[in-house]
């Protein structure tokens, strides 16, 4: 006789030993903040509910809704001149004020997670406590490990990441709380619980995928005594202090980029249906896997390596300028330059450049990237077909990873996903805390003359 496990039994088998969320200091902090923010939003809607915050042109409707202001994103805001601000703090301010693992080092992403969730800059004690909390939640459990290990090694790492996250979903406390009838004003609590679990487990999921796919399945055990970034690095197989610092920087600066990008919006949309954080984050990762979103740094790296193969490891500025013009005149774009919103050099690029200048100034690929930083904006401006000739974050990250020997490019987007969880899941907690409704914008079909097939469709007025 076949026995089907009950839902509660499944949840027990996928759960790990961690103290109840209500007993954590982070929960206590949010329990104080959430009612105040709920009251703020209620007052905002009462006073300004009918006011318009944006509009949409025909061009915008046909071109990905770029620039259409129509959603709330609490955790970060992208300014065209200043770049991203996390809860009002710029990248340089976060580097200066967030606690670091070593004096003068890169910020710990656990600190950014605290900032995004609470809106307050954490103390070292806050970060240490949160880091320990995440470590206590980081074990995958045998069922999830077996599910990840069973995936075909030729499967793309991003597909494996989505499958790995979904293998954790039976342990969702949010799904159970909803099924138990928890009041919607309290749903942020199991959302926080799930989000901390998922953020804690993602480095182990991601590292297992890397070791299974590229290192013959030789999995390296987690070390909960390390901070999240250092532990992720060592599970990948990298124990160099410089790589650990790079992971701290990488996971911090890629964490959030307001709500309109594909991965953030996907998590927001799916989460609005009250799908649990595991399902919502998987939606984000399927978007991040798309070549127009999460593959940009690979395209930049491949283009830069192709240039290096042609111009050599010690090219002149004239050699690089010639290669740039050759790319543009062939009808191709120079990858890594320009951004849908930014109109200045991406601060995330500058953070990586400063890291490279400090740790790897003589690296040949970095020297080429550095020359590009000086030459490409002028060439792109002379070309005249770009609104922003300045480098973005993807123009730099690839050369840093190559420097430390992580050359498996198909894996890079997985690392991006580990970082992006910090931002989109922080917002997901706040979406539930503030009672955001099911997202359901109105669509339309535009035409300029009456349609004999369907007169009920939207029609533009005659000129």
């Amino acid at each position: 006789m076949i026995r089907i496990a009950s839902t509660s039994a499944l949840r027990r088998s996928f759960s790990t030993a961690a103290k109840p969320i209500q007993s954590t200091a982070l929960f206590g902090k949010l329990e104080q903040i959430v009612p105040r923010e709920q009251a703020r939003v209620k007052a905002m809607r009462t006073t300004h509910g009918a006011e318009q915050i944006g509009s949409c042109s025909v061009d915008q409707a046909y071109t990905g809704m770029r620039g259409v202001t129509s959603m709330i994103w609490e955790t970060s805001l992208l300014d065209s001149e200043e770049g991203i601000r996390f809860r009002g703090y710029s990248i340089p301010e976060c580097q200066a004020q967030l606690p670091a693992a070593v004096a003068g080092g890169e910020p710990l992403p656990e600190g950014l997670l605290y900032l995004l969730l609470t809106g307050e800059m954490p103390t070292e004690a806050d970060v240490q406590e949160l880091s320990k909390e995440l470590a206590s939640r980081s074990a995958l459990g045998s069922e999830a490990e077996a599910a990840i290990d069973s995936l075909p090694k030729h499967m793309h790492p991003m597909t494996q990441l989505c499958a790995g996250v979904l293998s954790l979903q039976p342990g969702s406390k949010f799904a159970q709380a909803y099924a138990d009838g928890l009041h919607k004003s309290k749903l942020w609590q199991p959302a926080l619980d799930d989000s901390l679990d998922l953020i804690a487990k993602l480095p182990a999921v991601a590292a297992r995928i890397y070791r299974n796919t590229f290192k013959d399945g030789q999995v390296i055990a987690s070390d909960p005594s390390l901070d999240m970034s250092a532990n992720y690095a060592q599970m990948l197989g990298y124990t160099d202090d410089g790589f650990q610092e790079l992971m701290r920087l990488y996971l911090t600066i890629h964490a959030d980029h307001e709500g309109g990008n594909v991965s953030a919006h996907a998590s927001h949309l799916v989460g609005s249906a009250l799908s649990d954080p595991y399902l919502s984050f998987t939606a984000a990762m399927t978007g991040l896997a798309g070549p127009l979103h999460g593959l940009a740094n690979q395209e930049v790296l491949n283009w830069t390596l192709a240039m290096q193969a042609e111009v050599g490891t010690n090219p002149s500025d004239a050699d690089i300028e010639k290669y740039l013009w050759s790319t543009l005149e062939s009808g191709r774009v120079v990858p890594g330059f320009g951004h849908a919103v930014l109109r200045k050099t991406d601060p995330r690029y500058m953070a990586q450049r400063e890291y490279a200048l400090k740790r790897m100034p003589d690296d040949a690929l970095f020297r080429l990237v550095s020359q590009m930083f000086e030459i490409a904006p002028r060439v792109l401006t002379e070309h005249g077909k770009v609104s922003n000739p300045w480098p973005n974050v993807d123009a730099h990250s690839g050369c840093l990873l190559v420097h430390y020997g992580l050359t498996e490019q198909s894996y890079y987007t997985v690392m991006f996903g580990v970082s992006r969880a910090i931002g989109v899941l922080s917002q997901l907690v706040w979406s539930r805390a503030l009672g955001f409704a099911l997202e359901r914008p109105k669509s339309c079909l535009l035409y300029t003359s009456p349609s004999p097939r369907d007169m009920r469709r939207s029609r533009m007025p005659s000129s």
Side-chain angles (χ1 to χ4, degrees):
M1 178 179 175
I2 297 175
R3 295 184 180 275
I4 307 232
S6 67
T7 302
S8 59
L10 278 173
R11 294 186 192 286
R12 286 195 299 273
S13 70
F14 277 79
S15 64
T16 56
K19 60 186 178 182
I21 188 66
Q22 290 81 2
S23 66
T24 64
L26 181 61
F27 179 88
K29 170 68 72 173
L30 286 172
E31 200 171 30
Q32 297 173 19
I33 298 172
V34 165
R36 184 172 71 236
E37 290 300 295
Q38 289 173 336
R40 176 183 65 83
V41 170
K42 182 178 180 181
M44 175 73 72
R45 294 186 63 188
T46 298
T47 306
H48 303 285
E51 295 182 21
Q52 299 296 307
I53 61 172
S55 61
C56 184
S57 68
V58 171
D59 274 346
Q60 287 173 313
Y62 278 112
T63 56
M65 298 185 290
R66 291 199 175 195
V68 177
T69 303
S70 59
M71 64 186 297
I72 302 296
W73 197 260
E74 297 284 335
T75 52
S76 66
L77 183 66
L78 181 57
D79 182 86
S80 63
E81 300 296 323
E82 294 185 331
I84 195 66
R85 282 185 173 269
F86 300 127
R87 290 288 191 171
Y89 292 92
S90 68
I91 293 283
E93 288 170 340
C94 285
Q95 287 182 289
Q97 297 183 47
L98 285 173
V102 295
E106 302 299 338
L108 288 161
E110 295 96 317
L112 181 66
L113 173 61
Y114 186 98
L115 173 63
L116 295 182
L117 282 170
T118 68
E120 299 178 4
M121 189 62 70
T123 65
E124 287 191 16
D126 292 329
V127 174
Q128 288 175 2
E129 183 165 357
L130 181 53
S131 187
K132 290 179 181 177
E133 177 64 26
L134 293 174
S136 74
R137 296 167 175 264
S138 62
L140 296 183
S142 58
E143 294 87 355
E145 290 177 348
I148 296 166
D149 291 346
S150 71
L151 298 172
K153 302 306 176 279
H154 65 269
M155 180 182 286
H156 193 283
M158 281 301 288
T159 310
Q160 294 188 56
L161 178 64
C162 293
V165 171
L166 289 176
S167 77
L168 299 169
Q169 191 276 339
S172 171
K173 301 178 183 74
F174 182 94
Q176 184 64 61
Y178 181 82
D180 291 343
L182 183 68
H183 192 276
K184 64 180 182 179
S185 66
K186 301 291 185 182
L187 284 175
W188 68 269
Q189 299 174 8
L192 174 65
D193 214 346
D194 274 3
S195 295
L196 292 180
D197 274 346
L198 182 49
I199 290 168
K201 290 172 170 51
L202 273 173
V205 172
R208 199 172 195 92
I209 290 167
Y210 178 77
R211 301 297 299 185
N212 283 345
T213 303
F214 303 110
K215 303 298 178 182
D216 298 323
Q218 299 175 22
V219 176
I220 299 173
S222 171
D223 183 352
S225 69
L226 299 173
D227 63 85
M228 183 171 70
S229 304
N231 193 28
Y232 182 32
Q234 72 90 24
M235 285 191 291
L236 289 173
Y238 296 87
T239 57
D240 184 277
D241 289 345
F243 189 81
Q244 292 180 358
E245 276 288 271
L246 175 60
M247 284 298 94
R248 293 174 185 125
L249 175 64
Y250 186 97
L251 296 183
T252 297
I253 65 176
H254 287 83
D256 206 26
H257 219 227
E258 73 171 26
N261 64 76
V262 171
S263 56
H265 192 192
S267 68
H268 189 70
L269 172 64
V270 174
S272 77
L274 298 187
S275 299
D276 64 62
Y278 297 93
L279 299 176
S280 302
F281 181 70
T282 300
M285 292 302 95
T286 60
L288 190 66
L292 294 184
H293 188 17
L295 299 188
N297 73 332
Q298 297 168 50
E299 294 177 352
V300 173
L301 179 59
N302 285 329
W303 183 87
T304 307
L305 290 171
M307 176 171 62
Q308 187 181 54
E310 181 167 323
V311 304
T313 57
N314 192 30
S316 67
D317 289 356
D319 292 331
I320 294 176
E321 183 169 344
K322 180 180 178 181
Y323 193 88
L324 286 166
W325 279 112
S326 174
T327 297
L328 294 169
E329 289 169 354
S330 69
R332 294 174 292 161
V333 299
V334 176
F337 288 77
H339 191 273
V341 178
L342 283 168
R343 293 299 175 263
K344 293 285 183 67
T345 297
D346 191 334
R348 299 172 300 172
Y349 175 96
M350 294 304 299
Q352 293 177 104
R353 175 173 168 78
E354 290 164 4
Y355 174 91
L357 287 169
K358 180 168 59 176
R359 294 217 173 234
M360 43 183 274
D362 298 324
D363 180 271
L365 194 57
F366 167 63
R367 292 202 312 267
L368 184 57
V369 169
S370 193
Q371 282 181 279
M372 285 282 294
F373 174 65
E374 302 293 341
I375 299 167
R378 173 174 54 80
V379 171
L380 292 169
T381 299
E382 290 178 14
H383 186 249
K385 294 185 179 180
V386 295
S387 56
N388 174 17
W390 307 106
N392 60 49
V393 65
D394 298 307
H396 214 305
S397 56
C399 82
L400 301 180
L401 296 171
V402 168
H403 174 78
Y404 288 103
L406 206 163
T407 58
E408 296 88 358
Q409 293 185 30
S410 63
Y411 183 76
Y412 289 178
T413 316
V414 175
M415 304 174 77
F416 193 167
V418 173
S419 172
R420 186 50 57 95
I422 294 170
V424 301
L425 293 175
S426 294
Q427 176 58 45
L428 192 67
V429 172
W430 276 104
S431 295
R432 300 291 73 79
L434 299 178
F436 286 0
L438 176 68
E439 187 171 308
R440 181 54 170 92
K442 180 71 176 71
S443 62
C444 64
L445 176 60
L446 300 177
Y447 60 96
T448 57
S449 59
S451 166
R453 291 182 292 112
D454 189 353
M455 294 297 293
R456 292 172 296 175
R457 290 180 286 185
S458 305
R459 182 162 64 124
M460 295 298 297
S462 300
S463 57

XYZ file of all heavy atoms in Angstrom, residues 417-451:
264
model
N 22.204 35.904 -8.657
C 20.959 35.535 -7.981
C 21.098 35.446 -6.478
O 20.200 35.842 -5.730
N 22.226 34.906 -6.002
C 22.464 34.835 -4.559
C 22.416 36.234 -3.957
O 21.848 36.457 -2.880
C 23.816 34.156 -4.261
C 24.157 34.240 -2.771
C 23.796 32.699 -4.715
N 23.010 37.187 -4.657
C 22.998 38.570 -4.187
C 21.604 39.187 -4.277
O 21.123 39.809 -3.331
C 23.987 39.401 -5.011
O 23.871 40.770 -4.701
N 20.944 39.004 -5.423
C 19.661 39.673 -5.651
C 18.593 39.245 -4.664
O 17.643 40.003 -4.375
C 19.227 39.422 -7.101
C 17.983 40.160 -7.587
C 17.992 41.646 -7.304
N 19.103 42.378 -7.833
C 19.114 43.027 -8.994
N 18.064 42.991 -9.773
N 20.187 43.729 -9.361
N 18.740 38.055 -4.080
C 17.780 37.605 -3.069
C 17.683 38.584 -1.912
O 16.602 38.795 -1.348
C 18.183 36.221 -2.550
N 18.797 39.189 -1.542
C 18.816 40.109 -0.401
C 17.853 41.268 -0.636
O 17.119 41.673 0.283
C 20.250 40.619 -0.165
C 21.154 39.459 0.276
C 20.271 41.752 0.855
C 22.636 39.814 0.309
N 17.831 41.788 -1.849
C 16.973 42.925 -2.153
C 15.523 42.551 -2.363
O 14.620 43.113 -1.731
N 15.269 41.581 -3.261
C 13.875 41.300 -3.615
C 13.115 40.658 -2.468
O 11.904 40.885 -2.315
C 13.789 40.437 -4.897
C 14.451 41.144 -6.069
C 14.367 39.045 -4.707
N 13.796 39.884 -1.633
C 13.092 39.273 -0.506
C 12.867 40.273 0.625
O 11.854 40.182 1.336
C 13.853 38.043 -0.011
C 13.882 36.869 -0.997
C 14.751 35.740 -0.469
C 12.466 36.364 -1.307
N 13.773 41.231 0.786
C 13.506 42.308 1.747
C 12.259 43.078 1.340
O 11.392 43.386 2.175
C 14.709 43.249 1.833
O 15.833 42.611 2.378
N 12.146 43.394 0.062
C 10.957 44.104 -0.412
C 9.714 43.238 -0.272
O 8.631 43.738 0.048
C 11.131 44.527 -1.866
C 9.895 45.185 -2.476
C 9.429 46.424 -1.714
O 10.239 47.267 -1.353
N 8.129 46.523 -1.465
N 9.854 41.930 -0.508
C 8.701 41.047 -0.385
C 8.135 41.075 1.037
O 6.915 41.062 1.229
C 9.111 39.619 -0.759
C 7.970 38.622 -0.969
C 7.147 38.987 -2.188
C 8.525 37.211 -1.102
N 9.019 41.116 2.022
C 8.561 41.226 3.412
C 7.753 42.504 3.588
O 6.664 42.499 4.193
C 9.769 41.203 4.376
C 9.320 41.514 5.809
C 10.475 39.850 4.325
N 8.271 43.606 3.034
C 7.569 44.878 3.188
C 6.292 44.955 2.347
O 5.326 45.622 2.731
C 8.510 46.038 2.885
C 9.294 46.376 4.102
C 10.593 46.084 4.370
C 8.780 47.022 5.275
N 10.936 46.498 5.636
C 9.839 47.085 6.214
C 7.540 47.543 5.629
C 9.690 47.650 7.466
C 7.388 48.114 6.886
C 8.455 48.169 7.785
N 6.270 44.270 1.230
C 5.035 44.227 0.444
C 3.913 43.584 1.245
O 2.760 44.025 1.198
C 5.271 43.457 -0.854
O 6.191 44.131 -1.688
N 4.251 42.538 1.992
C 3.234 41.893 2.829
C 2.921 42.752 4.054
O 1.779 42.840 4.493
C 3.707 40.511 3.261
C 4.000 39.546 2.108
C 2.758 39.088 1.337
N 2.196 40.132 0.494
C 2.679 40.484 -0.703
N 3.766 39.895 -1.172
N 2.092 41.425 -1.414
N 3.915 43.397 4.625
C 3.678 44.233 5.804
C 2.766 45.398 5.479
O 1.925 45.804 6.299
C 5.008 44.736 6.358
N 2.922 45.960 4.284
C 2.143 47.138 3.900
C 0.869 46.772 3.149
O 0.151 47.646 2.679
C 3.009 48.073 3.058
C 4.257 48.604 3.781
C 5.080 49.491 2.847
C 3.887 49.355 5.042
N 0.605 45.486 3.023
C -0.658 45.040 2.446
C -0.815 45.341 0.977
O -1.942 45.607 0.516
N 0.278 45.287 0.220
C 0.178 45.559 -1.214
C -0.793 44.568 -1.868
O -0.774 43.373 -1.573
C 1.537 45.447 -1.887
C 2.459 46.605 -1.587
C 2.071 47.656 -0.777
C 3.731 46.635 -2.120
C 2.904 48.716 -0.502
C 4.594 47.685 -1.857
C 4.180 48.731 -1.043
N -1.605 45.090 -2.764
C -2.661 44.290 -3.383
C -2.122 43.443 -4.543
O -0.989 43.616 -4.999
C -3.767 45.216 -3.889
N -2.959 42.548 -5.003
C -2.659 41.772 -6.202
C -2.399 42.728 -7.363
O -3.208 43.602 -7.662
C -3.834 40.856 -6.533
C -3.738 40.032 -7.819
C -2.643 38.980 -7.695
C -5.083 39.382 -8.126
N -1.251 42.566 -8.010
C -0.909 43.462 -9.117
C -1.708 43.076 -10.360
O -1.664 41.932 -10.822
C 0.589 43.376 -9.412
C 1.063 44.398 -10.423
C 2.582 44.435 -10.543
O 3.248 44.562 -9.498
O 3.076 44.331 -11.671
N -2.444 44.045 -10.908
C -3.292 43.766 -12.077
C -3.449 45.029 -12.920
O -4.489 45.686 -12.899
C -4.652 43.242 -11.626
C -5.637 42.886 -12.743
C -5.045 41.913 -13.744
N -6.035 41.387 -14.668
C -6.323 41.925 -15.858
N -5.699 43.022 -16.254
N -7.211 41.355 -16.643
N -2.393 45.434 -13.651
C -2.542 46.600 -14.526
C -3.480 46.297 -15.687
O -3.709 45.136 -16.035
C -1.116 46.853 -15.009
C -0.454 45.522 -14.926
C -1.060 44.824 -13.742
N -4.021 47.333 -16.289
C -4.920 47.180 -17.435
C -4.110 47.168 -18.719
O -3.238 48.005 -18.930
C -5.926 48.340 -17.471
C -6.909 48.288 -18.622
C -7.919 47.167 -18.427
C -8.974 47.174 -19.536
N -8.437 46.739 -20.837
N -4.398 46.228 -19.575
C -3.755 46.184 -20.888
C -4.704 46.755 -21.939
O -5.897 46.946 -21.699
C -3.368 44.749 -21.243
O -4.518 43.928 -21.323
N -4.161 47.043 -23.115
C -4.986 47.576 -24.193
C -4.411 47.147 -25.534
O -3.297 46.629 -25.618
C -5.075 49.107 -24.120
S -3.490 49.936 -24.361
N -5.186 47.347 -26.585
C -4.722 47.110 -27.948
C -4.986 48.390 -28.732
O -6.116 48.875 -28.785
C -5.470 45.930 -28.564
C -5.157 45.607 -30.027
C -3.684 45.271 -30.198
C -6.020 44.446 -30.517
N -3.946 48.966 -29.294
C -4.063 50.265 -29.953
C -4.152 50.117 -31.468
O -3.472 49.286 -32.066
C -2.851 51.134 -29.604
C -2.631 51.435 -28.118
C -1.352 52.234 -27.935
C -3.821 52.183 -27.535
N -4.993 50.934 -32.077
C -5.054 51.036 -33.534
C -5.559 52.418 -33.882
O -6.091 53.148 -33.035
C -5.941 49.944 -34.140
C -7.370 49.961 -33.674
C -8.361 50.590 -34.421
C -7.742 49.357 -32.472
C -9.671 50.613 -33.990
C -9.054 49.372 -32.041
C -10.020 49.997 -32.807
O -11.325 50.020 -32.383
N -5.395 52.846 -35.118
C -5.715 54.220 -35.505
C -6.978 54.344 -36.335
O -7.397 55.445 -36.671
C -4.548 54.830 -36.290
O -4.264 54.005 -37.421
C -3.315 54.942 -35.404
N -7.599 53.227 -36.701
C -8.852 53.287 -37.451
C -9.743 52.150 -36.978
O -9.250 51.178 -36.400
C -8.583 53.153 -38.956
O -7.935 51.933 -39.233
N -11.049 52.251 -37.204
C -11.946 51.204 -36.719
C -11.552 49.831 -37.252
O -11.197 49.677 -38.411
C -13.322 51.639 -37.239
C -13.197 53.103 -37.431
C -11.776 53.340 -37.849
N -11.618 48.854 -36.386
C -11.293 47.488 -36.781
C -12.574 46.745 -37.119
O -13.514 46.735 -36.329
C -10.572 46.777 -35.646
O -10.536 45.394 -35.881
